[in-house]
Amino acid sequence: FFHLFFIPLIPLKVIGEFIRCTYCKTDYRESVLARPTTAQFTDLLQNTVRAVMVNMLRRGGAGHPAARAVAVQEIVSAGAVGYTEANLAQDMQVVPEDLTQMLAGLAGQLPEAGRDELLRGAVRVALADGPVDAAERAVVDTVGAALGMTQAHVAGVVASVAPVMPGTGPQPVSQPMGQSAPQPAPTGVQ
């Protein structure tokens, strides 16, 4: 506004709508209202962790007690205090197969360390019943991609939990005591 003796008379330009905090008097763009509250984010995080762990169990390990125990522990670690094996059994019946919408809502809000930890938890569940198989690895890759992680980033997170997995790198060769590993043939001109 153009002011004459501290009286606003003529609007000079429209700057848009803003939200003013009644406590600190700071102005924010209206888009701040679209961001989730702490309670909404907590619910989204816990529901997504539950869904990821359930889908990992569905791909392998649903009947394995160690895998189920690790899944329950991962869900409790995400803040679902009091979550039990009985809750997991219920979730196995109701959690959807498609997690893309849930993960997309979380991806924009979760920092990189949180995305990494969610993926590590899924890998820990997959490893609890033995080596990670192709179906379990597909869940890991899908979750990583939905969270906006590159394939290299996903591979790095997986390697941090399971340093050597079939199909992901060189396998250690065990030699009988007293024998050395075969040496490669020399190359070059003789």
Side-chain angles (χ1 to χ4, degrees):
F1 281 90
F2 170 76
H3 291 79
L4 180 64
F5 297 108
F6 304 106
I7 299 171
L9 297 177
I10 304 169
L12 298 177
K13 71 177 185 177
V14 176
I15 57 174
E17 293 188 34
F18 286 85
I19 307 299
R20 176 167 286 165
C21 176
T22 57
Y23 180 74
C24 68
K25 306 298 184 215
T26 303
D27 293 331
Y28 298 95
R29 293 191 183 274
E30 194 173 7
S31 63
V32 74
L33 297 176
R35 300 197 77 178
T37 63
T38 303
Q40 291 169 330
F41 179 74
T42 300
D43 286 344
L44 178 62
L45 177 63
Q46 289 175 5
N47 290 336
T48 303
V49 169
R50 287 171 46 204
V52 168
M53 299 312 153
V54 164
N55 275 294
M56 185 59 72
L57 285 173
R58 284 178 179 157
R59 299 304 183 276
H64 197 276
R68 293 175 70 89
V70 172
V72 168
Q73 180 56 41
E74 291 296 330
I75 294 167
V76 169
S77 295
V81 179
Y83 191 86
T84 65
E85 180 80 27
N87 300 115
L88 183 63
Q90 289 175 341
D91 283 348
M92 293 291 284
Q93 303 301 316
V94 297
V95 169
E97 291 283 329
D98 184 17
L99 304 177
T100 52
Q101 188 175 23
M102 228 181 228
L103 289 166
L106 188 63
Q109 308 297 325
L110 197 60
E112 184 177 333
R115 286 180 264 175
D116 290 355
E117 190 54 35
L118 175 58
L119 209 53
R120 279 189 200 99
V123 174
R124 284 190 287 268
V125 171
L127 286 170
D129 66 340
V132 177
D133 62 27
E136 292 169 330
R137 182 57 196 245
V139 172
V140 170
D141 291 339
T142 301
V143 169
L147 291 174
M149 301 166 77
T150 65
Q151 289 179 341
H153 190 163
V154 171
V157 171
V158 170
S160 72
V161 179
V164 177
M165 288 176 32
T168 62
Q171 299 295 316
V173 177
S174 60
Q175 295 292 325
M177 292 289 274
Q179 292 184 2
S180 62
Q183 298 297 318
T187 58
V189 179
Q190 292 187 0

